[in-house]
Amino acid sequence: MESRGYWVGLCVAILSSAWLQAAAQGLPPGFPCKPLACSTLIPTHVVDDPKTNDCAYRAGNLWWVDYVAGSLAWSKDKRANPVTVALFDDGFWIDHEDLRNQLWTNQAEAHGKAGTDDDGNGYVDDLHGWDFVDNSPDVAPKGACRDRFSHGTLMASLVAGEHNNHVGIAAPGSDGARVMPLRIVGCDGTATRMDPARLVRALDYATRMGARILSFSAHWSVTSEELDAAFREIADRPGSPVAAIVVASVPNKGEPTAGYPAAYDFRRIVRAIPIGNDDELSPGTSPAPSGLNLGAPSACVIGAATPPSQYRLEQGSSNSTAILAGLLAGIWSSPRYAKLSPDEFLAGVVERRMSKTARRSKPGSRSPYLDGVPLADACLLATARRSARVCRQPEAHREARP
Ligand SMILES: [Ca+2]
Ligand SMILES: [Ca+2]
Ligand SMILES: [Ca+2]
């Protein structure tokens, strides 16, 4: 099999609204995103907790959180057993105000000595992930990417943007997800190509260091035997010691196939199908293999862009992937599920409940490969009273009652 790979898509397209300067004072007047139809899908007065102080949420601009009932994955405090979500992307501004408290931390390096590989994992000072392009602990965007909007930063914020910190956004994984930033593509020249050997090293790092969800807001069409084998071990082989859930993007650029890793027919792959804020499958969405295919918001999504406090409005299937990864992490980290293995969580929660829930929205009616849009398993996560109002699925409704 050909070993030359290439990076096909960081799937976000840029809306013309350009940079948004949104800080603690709130979003600009006339901000183009409105809650739209989501308020008819989920009772906002229930989901939109008035105690939440993140300005974008309070301004009604996080339709994508309410759309998946993401606020039900929040908890009063950070979860005791957060799920580490590894992000494979082009660089991360980890000092962003909505990210800096949301990172996976290598405790051995945090309490170790600078310049020393304190945990002996082969990476010196890998405090918050690793840059596999430039072989460095600094995961920030490099080269021309330093002056652009940062795709990786946006994805990290959609996974775990911090809830109730008086600024910016709040993501479903705020209290249950911790982001492990892994830079696997760069901006310039050959570094923009997806190198299969480089990705194999990053996969090995992520699983060895405890990531339980691997999120790919990217896709590629050429792979290698080594890369296929690494994904098979993580995402398919029963009893694998490095088993993890792979959340894979399905692009919406009109391409004839979804690309890898969505194209793998593996049991632990969950595909994110992009849904626009018109409550429809995003135009140009590639056909996807059957399996665990869940819808998630793609358009009109606001997230972190550059440090220390800038945000940006984006659309694209990358967003869907990160939102779904954060939602799954937020649910998986709840005390009820925290001890489940990846296979147990997928079978008992994602497949049995989330993908079978009769979602009160249009997606699914037009797509043979979309199983539905998940809610944050509201009937199990929330109190019985809240659940009864939010979740209308008969089976779950009954279960939610005392
Ligand atoms: Ca180390
Ligand atoms: Ca060290
Ligand atoms: Ca926030």
Side-chain angles (χ1 to χ4, degrees), residues 53-55 97-98 161-171 311:
N53 60 41
D54 310 88
C55 62
E97 62 185 7
D98 255 343
E162 187 170 12
H163 170 224
N164 249 357
N165 61 345
H166 294 272
V167 294
I169 67 164
Y311 297 83

Side-chain angles (χ1 to χ4, degrees), residues 349-360 371-375 377 391-393 396:
V349 180
V350 178
E351 183 165 12
R352 189 172 74 84
R353 301 193 62 85
M354 298 181 81
S355 68
K356 301 263 190 318
T357 299
R359 182 66 166 84
R360 288 161 290 135
D371 293 335
V373 177
L375 297 175
D377 207 14
C391 186
R392 297 176 188 165
Q393 198 220 2

